[in-house]
Amino acid sequence: MQAASAPLESGRERAYRYLRETVLVDPAVQGTFLNEVGLAQAVGVSRTPVREALLLLVSEGLVEMVPKRGAYVPPLSGRQIKELMELRALLERHAASVTLVTGTVPLAAMREALAEQEQLVDPIDADTAKVFIEWDRRFHQSLIDAARNDLIARTYAGLRTRQMRVGVAALFRATDRQHAVCVEHRQILDALESGDETASHAAIEDHLQITLQLFLEA
């Protein structure tokens, strides 16, 4: 029996994915208005699916619709970044505790993500930064997923665009930040591998606080 084919992605879904994964994570887009015609051409759809995708992003707080001006991408404020890091810290510390108790720390997946990041530590451009931060996201998401709580995993995954926006921008706010991130990830891994819950929590907290400080001190 032939397996059923995956449902085709609608124009709105394609536009939504393109906006979330490509457009909104570009530091150059922050604080600018989006061109719906240009977006439609880039995605290969009409303006209607683009507008529908933008309205979804408005509901998520990632885009604002300004009368007579169009779709505006507001820069994340210091408060929003602080709240993002606080939520991430709560979820990641919880995942560390759960996986240490259950013996399900995803060391192999986290090592793989770190190894990929270590290949990208040379002077970085915008495209490389996105790849680096995508592996950063996978490093942390694998720990969350290993805690085996679907609601928490979906909540964390929903932070992807904000994580990418902050992460990519952070790489350009400090010299050789990508190398420092790899060191911080190695500290998290070492703490988890040793089975030390307190050290794991501290390594996670330190890593997120360093990123936050890059923005608060700017």
Side-chain angles (χ1 to χ4, degrees), residues 3 8 30 49 53 57 67 79 82 94 106 124 161 204-205 211:
L8 294 176
Q30 314 311 312
L57 294 169
R79 176 178 176 179
K82 182 175 183 291
H94 171 77
I124 205 159
T161 299
I204 290 168
E205 188 71 40
T211 299

Side-chain angles (χ1 to χ4, degrees), residues 109-124:
M110 296 177 78
R111 288 194 191 103
E112 178 188 4
L114 176 55
E116 292 290 343
Q117 287 187 290
E118 289 173 338
Q119 300 301 311
L120 301 167
V121 297
D122 289 330
I124 205 159

Side-chain angles (χ1 to χ4, degrees), residues 191-210:
L192 288 169
E193 189 168 17
S194 72
D196 190 328
E197 180 183 41
T198 299
S200 300
H201 287 188
I204 290 168
E205 188 71 40
D206 288 347
H207 173 52
L208 297 176
Q209 282 298 314
I210 290 170

Side-chain angles (χ1 to χ4, degrees), residues 140-166:
H140 294 280
Q141 185 76 52
S142 64
L143 177 60
I144 294 292
D145 291 345
R148 299 175 183 173
N149 182 308
D150 290 342
L151 182 57
I152 289 177
R154 287 197 301 271
T155 298
Y156 194 90
L159 302 175
R160 180 184 186 279
T161 299
R162 288 177 173 83
Q163 281 183 259
M164 294 290 290
R165 288 178 66 182
V166 170

Side-chain angles (χ1 to χ4, degrees), residues 7-24 39-54 56-57:
L8 294 176
E9 194 174 37
S10 70
R12 182 182 69 178
E13 291 168 339
R14 285 164 54 198
Y16 177 77
R17 180 167 55 82
Y18 177 74
L19 282 160
R20 282 186 62 105
E21 298 181 6
T22 303
V23 176
L24 295 184
L39 290 171
Q41 292 173 342
V43 179
V45 297
S46 68
R47 290 181 64 181
T48 298
V50 170
R51 173 55 66 92
E52 292 173 345
L54 287 170
L56 287 175
L57 294 169

Side-chain angles (χ1 to χ4, degrees), residues 163-180:
Q163 281 183 259
M164 294 290 290
R165 288 178 66 182
V166 170
V168 169
L171 294 184
F172 296 98
R173 286 178 175 255
T175 303
D176 201 17
R177 175 60 187 151
Q178 57 270 30
H179 179 265

Side-chain angles (χ1 to χ4, degrees), residues 74-96:
L76 289 173
S77 67
R79 176 178 176 179
Q80 288 173 316
I81 296 171
K82 182 175 183 291
E83 290 175 351
L84 171 64
M85 294 306 174
E86 286 178 350
L87 178 56
R88 285 186 57 187
L90 284 170
L91 298 180
E92 291 181 34
R93 290 197 307 264
H94 171 77

